[in-house]
Amino acid sequence: MSTKNMDHYTSLASHYDEYYNYSTDYVDYFTNKIIEDLSIKNKEVVVELGAGTGIFAKAILHKIDSVNMKCVDNSALMLEMNKEKRIEKLCQDAVEFSKQDVVYDKIYMKEFIHHIPKKDRLSLFKGLYRQLKNRGRLVILMEPGRLNYPLFEEALKRFKVNQPSYLDVISKLEQVGFLTSYTTVKHEIKITKTKYIEMVKSRYMSVLESFTEAELENGIKEINESYKNEELKFQEVFYCIKGVKSKAVLDIMLTPYK
């Protein structure tokens, strides 16, 4: 993640949980999705990469309290906002973490892969594959290029330019040995326009950091003109990419060529 993005999330830290907890069932819905797709079991070691304040890590631990949970993020302030003492917090860059000699059962990242430069993704996936136990699982939740969010048009365009292709992510996971599959996940969001505009003013998404104050004000004016009702409803869509470390594939990779 760039220094600019680090500064962005540091400034958001105190409001991060509030902004990403859109509704009473939002965190619960995606927590259940992560648990189901990773098939998390009692006493397993689970890593959240790009964890921020650990919203989902804390929720997983609440549902399966014997899990050994680790949160990795390069923002010390974000990690400090996570007061759950049972969670191990690691202030590290994701790519650097993937080079460490650690072992775990499951790993996931939500709305994070776009922060990894394209040139570093293959190296990241190689490291995560090496660290996972045999038959270990990985889940990546990532947005499509075109968001359904009630943002102004220029913000949607800039997000699309910087968002990786889910097919490219899958291809790179398969290159390093993962057996992959994916599904599309949709969840309806209901939020007041007042709160959403407050979030936009606070630049709750990293793409909003690229706008000047004047550009952001014009964007907010566009939101007000485009959405007349106070209650906003939209479908949040994710690609849920799943990877399994196959022992059969690993054996082939480790077998000397004759």
Side-chain angles (χ1 to χ4, degrees), residues 41-106:
K41 304 292 193 301
N42 288 320
K43 299 183 179 180
E44 285 188 327
V45 179
V46 180
V47 176
E48 181 175 3
L49 200 59
T53 59
I55 295 172
F56 295 98
K58 288 180 284 191
I60 290 170
L61 198 55
H62 180 72
K63 291 175 180 288
I64 310 175
D65 62 7
S66 65
V67 165
N68 183 345
M69 183 65 68
K70 301 177 187 292
C71 283
V72 180
D73 199 279
N74 62 355
S75 169
L77 187 56
M78 280 286 206
L79 292 172
E80 286 172 10
M81 299 297 293
N82 183 348
K83 303 301 183 183
E84 176 53 69
K85 294 180 180 179
R86 293 175 295 170
I87 295 177
E88 182 180 356
K89 294 96 175 176
L90 303 169
C91 188
Q92 280 187 301
D93 171 82
V95 178
E96 288 304 309
F97 169 78
S98 72
K99 298 175 183 177
Q100 305 301 309
D101 291 325
V102 296
V103 179
Y104 44 84
D105 299 282
K106 310 286 168 63

Side-chain angles (χ1 to χ4, degrees), residues 2 10 28 51 61 67 76 87 89 130 140 195 199 219 242:
S2 69
T10 296
D28 194 56
L61 198 55
V67 165
I87 295 177
K89 294 96 175 176
R130 178 182 58 83
I140 298 174
K195 181 177 180 182
M199 292 165 61
K242 291 165 273 190

Side-chain angles (χ1 to χ4, degrees), residues 28-39:
D28 194 56
Y29 176 85
F30 283 102
T31 299
N32 288 336
K33 180 66 177 168
I34 292 166
I35 290 172
E36 177 185 348
D37 286 346
L38 285 177
S39 189

Side-chain angles (χ1 to χ4, degrees), residues 123-187:
S123 173
L124 172 70
F125 295 154
K126 282 181 180 178
L128 301 183
Y129 187 91
R130 178 182 58 83
Q131 292 171 337
L132 274 167
K133 292 181 180 178
N134 292 332
R135 305 302 299 174
R137 297 192 182 195
L138 166 147
V139 161
I140 298 174
L141 283 160
M142 61 179 288
E143 303 100 325
R146 180 68 184 187
L147 296 172
N148 287 328
Y149 298 180
L151 277 172
F152 52 98
E153 187 61 28
E154 184 59 30
L156 295 172
K157 288 179 180 177
R158 292 189 192 181
F159 179 87
K160 184 176 182 178
V161 167
N162 294 313
Q163 183 69 354
S165 160
Y166 76 98
L167 292 175
D168 183 65
V169 171
I170 290 171
S171 175
K172 284 183 169 56
L173 288 170
E174 291 178 346
Q175 282 182 54
V176 305
F178 281 104
L179 299 178
T180 68
S181 62
Y182 82 94
T183 55
T184 302
V185 182
K186 298 180 180 180
H187 186 69

Side-chain angles (χ1 to χ4, degrees), residues 22 26 30 111 149 185-187 189 234-238:
Y22 291 108
Y26 179 84
F30 283 102
E111 298 178 79
Y149 298 180
V185 182
K186 298 180 180 180
H187 186 69
I189 303 295
F234 58 97
Q235 288 281 338
E236 187 169 45
V237 180
F238 286 96

